[in-house]
C-alpha cells in the first residue's frame, strides 16, 4: 500500500497493528451485537408466547367460552377458526391488521406502523383435532424499548471499539519503540564504527532473539570485512616493503647495463643479474598473491586421498630434480592413506605445501645430505612429515618461523630466491583446511616439519 511507503519501521508496525485491530474489533463488535440481538429476539419471543399460554391451554382443553380478559400490559388477540376476533387488547394500529397478522408464519416478526413506531408480533397457530379450523393467538409488544437498548449497546460498542483501537495503537507504538531500541543502538554503534579504527563490534542483546541473531550475523560480517581489509593492507605493506629493495637493485643493474653498452661481457653479466632480480620479483609477487588468495578463500572443495597421493608423487618427482642440483637426495614414503577419504584442500595448494617444505629442507641441507618425506594416513587425519639434517633453526626463530618475510640466521641469501613467504603459505594452507603446521629442531641436527590435515567425515 502506497501510504506505508517511506515510513519508518515503527510507523509501519503501528499502522498495520491499528489496521488489523480495526478489522478484528469491527468483526467482534458485529458478532457481539448480532448475538445480543439474537438473545433479545429469543427472549422477546419467549415472553410473548408466555402471555398467550393460558389462552392456548384453554383452547386445547375446549374451554373457549368466556375467555378471561388479557392483563393490563398484555397486547394480544385470539381469533377463532371462523376468523372472528373473540379476545383483543391490541392497539388500533394493529387491530386494523389483525387478519393479516393471522396469516403470518409462526415466529417473531417486526411490524412497522410508522418510522417511529413498531411492534414485535408473534403468531401462534393452535390446531385442535376434529375441529373445523385453526385458532390463532396474536401476541404483540412495543419494540421501541428493545430497539433503544440495542441502539445504546451499539453506541457503547462503537465507542469502546474506538477507544480500544486507539489504546492498541498507542501500545503498539510504545512496545515497538522498546523492541526496536536495540536496532537504534546498533545503528549508532555502526555509525561510530564507520568513523573509527577500533576493533569494537555491534552490541548483542542478552536475550537470544532475532535482534541478537542479527547483531551476531552483522558482527561476523564486520569481522570478515575487517579481516579482508587487514589482509589487503598487510599485502600492500609487505609488497611495498619487500619490493622496494629488488626494484632498486633492478634499476641499478639496468643503469649499469647502459654503462656497459660498449663491453659485451659486462653487458651480458648485468643483464643476467637483472634477469635474476626479475625472477625474484616475479616469485615474490606470485607468493604474495597466493598467500592473499588462500587467506581470503572460503573453505576449499574436498580432494580425495587417491588424488592427494598422486599429487604427492608428482611433487616428489620435482623434489628429486631440485635436490639433484644441490647434491641432496630425497627419500619418500607413503602409506595408510584411504583412497576414498577426502580432505578440504585444493590439489594445487597441497602441491604448493609439499613443494615449499621440501624446497626449504633442500636449501637448508649440506651437499650429500638427505631429506626424508613421509605421507601417512590415520583414522581421522593425514600427516605429512619433512625431515632434513641441515643447519637447523634457533628456538627463538621457531616461534616466528611461520610469519611473513622471516628467515633464520643461517639460510639462503635473498638472491637465491628465498622470499620468506614459503612457510607462511604452508601455515595458511594447513589452517584453511582445518589442520596444523609445526616445526621442531632435531637433536641430531636439522628440522622436522609436520603438517596435519583432518579427514572430512564420510
Amino acid at each position: 500500500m502506497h501510504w506505508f511507503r517511506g515510513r519508518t519501521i515503527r510507523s509501519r508496525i503501528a499502522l498495520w497493528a491499528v489496521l488489523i485491530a480495526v478489522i478484528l474489533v469491527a468483526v467482534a463488535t458485529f458478532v457481539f451485537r448480532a448475538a445480543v440481538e439474537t438473545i433479545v429476539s429469543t427472549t422477546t419471543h419467549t415472553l410473548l408466547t408466555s402471555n398467550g399460554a393460558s389462552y392456548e391451554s384453554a383452547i386445547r382443553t375446549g374451554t373457549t367460552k368466556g375467555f378471561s380478559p388479557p392483563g393490563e400490559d398484555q397486547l394480544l388477540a385470539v381469533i377463532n377458526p371462523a376468523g372472528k376476533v373473540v379476545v383483543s387488547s391490541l392497539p388500533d394500529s394493529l387491530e386494523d391488521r389483525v387478519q393479516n397478522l393471522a396469516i403470518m408464519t409462526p415466529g417473531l416478526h417486526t411490524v412497522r406502523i410508522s418510522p417511529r413506531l413498531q411492534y414485535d408480533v408473534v403468531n401462534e397457530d393452535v390446531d385442535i383435532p376434529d375441529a373445523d379450523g385453526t385458532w390463532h393467538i396474536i401476541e404483540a409488544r412495543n419494540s421501541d424499548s428493545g430497539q433503544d437498548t440495542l441502539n445504546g449497546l451499539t453506541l457503547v460498542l462503537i465507542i469502546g471499539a474506538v477507544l480500544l483501537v486507539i489504546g492498541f495503537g498507542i501500545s503498539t507504538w510504545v512496545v515497538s519503540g522498546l523492541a526496536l531500541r536495540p536496532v537504534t543502538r546498533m545503528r549508532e554503534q555502526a555509525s561510530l564504527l564507520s568513523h573509527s579504527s577500533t576493533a569494537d563490534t555491534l552490541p548483542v542483546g542478552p536475550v537470544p532473539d532475532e535482534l541478537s541473531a542479527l547483531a551476531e550475523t552483522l558482527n561476523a560480517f564486520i569481522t570478515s570485512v575487517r579481516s579482508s581489509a587487514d589482509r589487503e593492507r598487510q599485502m600492500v605493506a609487505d609488497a611495498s616493503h619487500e619490493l622496494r629493495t629488488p626494484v632498486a637493485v633492478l634499476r641499478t643493474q639496468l643503469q649499469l647495463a647502459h654503462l656497459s653498452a660498449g663491453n659485451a661481457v659486462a653487458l651480458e653479466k648485468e643483464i643476467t643479474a637483472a634477469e635474476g632480480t626479475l625472477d625474484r620479483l616475479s616469485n615474490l609477487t606470485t607468493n604474495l598473491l597466493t598467500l592473499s588468495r588462500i587467506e581470503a578463500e572460503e573453505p576449499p572443495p574436498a580432494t580425495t586421498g587417491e588424488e592427494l597421493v598422486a599429487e604427492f608423487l608428482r611433487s616428489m618427482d620435482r623434489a628429486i630434480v631440485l635436490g639433484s642440483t644441490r647434491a641432496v637426495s630425497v627419500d619418500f614414503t607413503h602409506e595408510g592413506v584411504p583412497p576414498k577419504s577426502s580432505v578440504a584442500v585444493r590439489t594445487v595448494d597441497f602441491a604448493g605445501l609439499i613443494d615449499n617444505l621440501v624446497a626449504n629442507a633442500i636449501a637448508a641441507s649440506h651437499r650429500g645430505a638427505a631429506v626424508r618425506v613421509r605421507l601417512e594416513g590415520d583414522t581421522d587425519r593425514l600427516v605429512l612429515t619433512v625431515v632434513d639434517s641441515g643447519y637447523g633453526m634457533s628456538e627463538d626463530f621457531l616461534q616466528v618461523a611461520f610469519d611473513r618475510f622471516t628467515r633464520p640466521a643461517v639460510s639462503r641469501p635473498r638472491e637465491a630466491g628465498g622470499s620468506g613467504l614459503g612457510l607462511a603459505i604452508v601455515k595458511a594452507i594447513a589452517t584453511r583446511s582445518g589442520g596444523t603446521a609445526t616445526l621442531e629442531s632435531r637433536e641430531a641436527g636439522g628440522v622436522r616439519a609436520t603438517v596435519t590435515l583432518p579427514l572430512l567425515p564420510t
Side-chain angles (χ1 to χ4, degrees):
M1 298 181 182
H2 65 277
W3 59 83
F4 285 97
R5 298 174 184 170
R7 299 185 182 273
T8 62
I9 294 178
R10 188 180 185 184
S11 300
R12 292 201 296 271
I13 291 175
L15 287 174
W16 275 112
V18 169
L19 179 61
I20 294 172
V22 168
I23 295 174
L24 294 178
V25 169
V27 172
T29 300
F30 175 80
V31 172
F32 183 76
R33 188 189 185 284
V36 171
E37 188 172 6
T38 301
I39 293 173
V40 170
S41 298
T42 302
T43 303
T44 300
H45 183 272
T46 302
L47 290 174
L48 290 179
T49 54
S50 65
N51 290 339
S54 60
Y55 295 96
E56 181 181 357
S57 177
I59 293 171
R60 293 189 182 279
T61 58
T63 56
T64 57
K65 302 292 186 179
F67 287 113
S68 60
E72 183 179 354
D73 295 329
Q74 293 181 340
L75 303 179
L76 60 83
V78 179
I79 305 173
N80 62 22
K84 180 180 178 181
V85 178
V86 296
V87 177
S88 177
S89 62
L90 297 176
D92 295 340
S93 56
L94 290 179
E95 189 76 36
D96 298 337
R97 306 184 183 191
V98 69
Q99 298 300 328
N100 293 331
L101 299 178
I103 62 176
M104 291 191 308
T105 58
L108 182 66
H109 300 273
T110 299
V111 178
R112 183 177 297 277
I113 305 302
S114 67
R116 302 180 62 85
L117 179 62
Q118 61 184 16
Y119 291 91
D120 292 327
V121 179
V122 173
N123 172 32
E124 290 189 83
D125 296 338
V126 182
D127 294 323
I128 304 298
D130 301 328
D132 295 333
T134 301
W135 289 77
H136 299 281
I137 303 176
I138 309 298
E139 297 105 343
R141 179 185 180 185
N142 192 318
S143 62
D144 289 344
S145 59
Q147 192 62 41
D148 291 342
T149 301
L150 283 176
N151 292 337
L153 176 63
T154 301
L155 180 61
V156 171
L157 289 175
I158 291 175
I159 295 174
V162 172
L163 294 177
L164 182 62
V165 169
I166 293 174
F168 191 77
I170 295 175
S171 301
T172 303
W173 179 265
V174 174
V175 172
S176 61
L178 295 175
L180 292 173
R181 185 175 296 175
V183 177
T184 302
R185 290 199 296 268
M186 284 193 290
R187 181 184 58 80
E188 294 172 350
Q189 182 68 17
S191 178
L192 293 176
L193 292 177
S194 64
H195 301 89
S196 173
S197 59
T198 63
D200 294 336
T201 54
L202 300 179
V204 179
V207 180
D209 54 11
E210 292 82 355
L211 292 179
S212 297
L214 173 62
E216 292 174 355
T217 302
L218 291 177
N219 285 338
F221 174 73
I222 291 172
T223 302
S224 175
V225 171
R226 282 176 174 170
S227 299
S228 177
D230 291 342
R231 285 194 299 269
E232 291 179 1
R233 284 194 295 267
Q234 183 67 40
M235 181 179 176
V236 171
D238 292 342
S240 62
H241 177 268
E242 291 295 322
L243 294 177
R244 186 181 297 114
T245 299
V247 168
V249 171
L250 180 61
R251 182 183 296 110
T252 301
Q253 290 169 336
L254 292 176
Q255 291 173 351
L256 292 175
H258 281 294
L259 295 176
S260 304
N263 186 337
V265 175
L267 178 60
E268 183 179 2
K269 179 181 178 181
E270 296 301 334
I271 291 177
T272 301
E275 288 176 344
T277 303
L278 186 60
D279 289 341
R280 178 168 176 261
L281 278 172
S282 176
N283 182 60
L284 177 61
T285 304
T286 300
N287 285 341
L288 281 172
L289 292 176
T290 299
L291 187 58
S292 178
R293 174 187 64 79
I294 294 171
E295 291 178 342
E297 187 180 32
E298 293 297 323
T303 303
T304 64
E306 184 178 7
E307 294 173 324
L308 295 180
V309 169
E311 190 59 43
F312 173 77
L313 295 177
R314 285 192 288 269
S315 295
M316 292 302 96
D317 290 339
R318 294 191 294 271
I320 292 173
V321 173
L322 178 63
S324 64
T325 62
R326 298 179 59 88
V328 176
S329 63
V330 177
D331 301 328
F332 64 91
T333 59
H334 68 87
E335 63 178 359
V337 179
K340 300 302 181 181
S341 61
S342 58
V343 178
V345 63
R346 293 181 181 275
T347 304
V348 63
D349 291 338
F350 184 68
L353 184 151
I354 299 173
D355 291 345
N356 275 298
L357 289 178
V358 175
N360 285 345
I362 292 174
S365 298
H366 304 283
R367 297 181 66 85
V371 172
R372 298 192 302 276
V373 185
R374 179 181 178 83
L375 177 67
E376 59 183 333
D378 201 343
T379 56
D380 57 354
R381 61 180 182 169
L382 292 184
V383 180
L384 173 69
T385 306
V386 179
V387 180
D388 66 69
S389 56
Y391 303 106
M393 297 179 182
S394 66
E395 292 298 326
D396 292 337
F397 179 77
L398 288 176
Q399 305 299 320
V400 296
F402 291 106
D403 294 345
R404 300 183 184 198
F405 303 112
T406 55
R407 300 174 182 84
V410 180
S411 183
R412 295 169 295 170
R414 292 194 175 193
E415 290 76 6
S419 63
L421 289 175
L423 290 178
I425 292 175
V426 168
K427 183 72 172 181
I429 295 172
T431 302
R432 180 59 62 182
S433 301
T436 59
T438 59
L439 294 174
E440 58 179 326
S441 294
R442 301 171 62 238
E443 294 182 2
V447 174
R448 176 185 288 105
T450 304
V451 175
T452 301
L453 302 178
L455 298 179
L456 296 176
T458 56

